[in-house]
């Protein structure tokens, strides 16, 4: 891995963000900034900063979202780890050549033009991995 790779956030799926805050904010003392609704993803999310990293809490808001299916199948818990990388296209190309299974064959463009893609847990020892470039 290039030296400039950092962990950007660790995402947890929860039944309900407000309930989850009982531990993450009130117990552990992490700071809540804002809760964002993402209707197109059928989810509501919040990021609680931890140093240069963050814990992301994801709550499903529609029955048929991927997050709702995940919660139903596996229950609340860890969903993915996100790494911030310098050149996402370069890494994507390298992973493809090496035969790793990518969930997104092409780099996705999210809100604020952020670039991201997901790598299948089959290729990462069981952990859904997100790559992100600012
Ligand atoms: Zn994420």
């Amino acid at each position: 891995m290039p030296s400039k790779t950092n962990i950007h956030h660790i995402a947890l799926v929860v039944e309900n963000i407000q309930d989850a805050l009982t531990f993450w904010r009130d117990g552990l003392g992490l700071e809540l900034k804002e809760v964002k609704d993402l209707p197109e993803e059928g989810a509501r999310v919040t990021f609680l900063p931890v140093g240069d990293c963050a814990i992301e809490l994801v709550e499903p808001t529609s029955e048929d979202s991927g997050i709702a299916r995940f919660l139903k199948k596996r229950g609340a818990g860890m969903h993915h780890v996100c790494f911030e990388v310098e050149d996402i296209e370069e890494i994507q190309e390298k992973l493809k050549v090496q035969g790793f299974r990518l969930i997104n064959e092409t780099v996705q463009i999210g809100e604020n033009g952020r670039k991201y893609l997901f790598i299948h847990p089959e290729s990462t020892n069981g952990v859904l991995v997100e790559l992100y470039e600012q």
Side-chain angles (χ1 to χ4, degrees):
M1 281 246 181
S3 57
K4 289 282 182 63
T5 301
N6 291 307
I7 291 184
H8 186 266
H9 62 268
I10 296 169
L12 312 178
V13 174
V14 300
E15 300 264 1
N16 179 293
I17 286 176
Q18 289 310 318
D19 293 348
L21 288 173
T22 310
F23 173 72
W24 296 100
R25 181 191 57 198
D26 307 340
L28 198 55
L30 302 183
E31 188 193 347
L32 175 70
K33 294 216 160 149
E34 54 165 346
V35 178
K36 263 195 279 185
D37 246 310
L38 304 173
E40 68 285 354
E41 289 176 33
R44 183 178 290 139
V45 302
T46 188
F47 287 87
L48 304 150
V50 183
D52 293 335
C53 177
I55 293 292
E56 176 185 15
L57 301 178
V58 188
E59 171 193 327
T61 52
S62 94
E63 281 290 308
D64 58 356
S65 66
I67 293 296
R69 285 194 299 274
F70 180 96
L71 188 61
K72 214 171 199 174
K73 201 168 150 195
R74 310 217 205 165
M78 190 164 143
H79 186 257
H80 66 268
V81 183
C82 176
F83 293 90
E84 183 175 358
V85 298
E86 281 194 311
D87 186 340
I88 197 168
E89 276 91 0
E90 186 190 310
I91 295 180
Q92 180 218 19
E93 215 24 68
K94 187 166 167 272
L95 291 170
K96 258 182 160 169
V97 169
Q98 289 174 304
F100 295 113
R101 185 169 164 200
L102 307 182
I103 289 180
N104 311 108
E105 284 297 323
T106 56
V107 172
Q108 307 291 298
I109 310 289
E111 55 175 330
N112 310 324
R114 79 180 195 105
K115 295 179 182 175
Y116 68 96
L117 69 88
F118 283 92
I119 306 163
H120 199 282
E122 209 173 75
S123 289
T124 62
N125 309 97
V127 181
L128 179 61
V129 170
E130 178 181 12
L131 299 181
Y132 162 89
E133 184 189 318
Q134 204 106 40

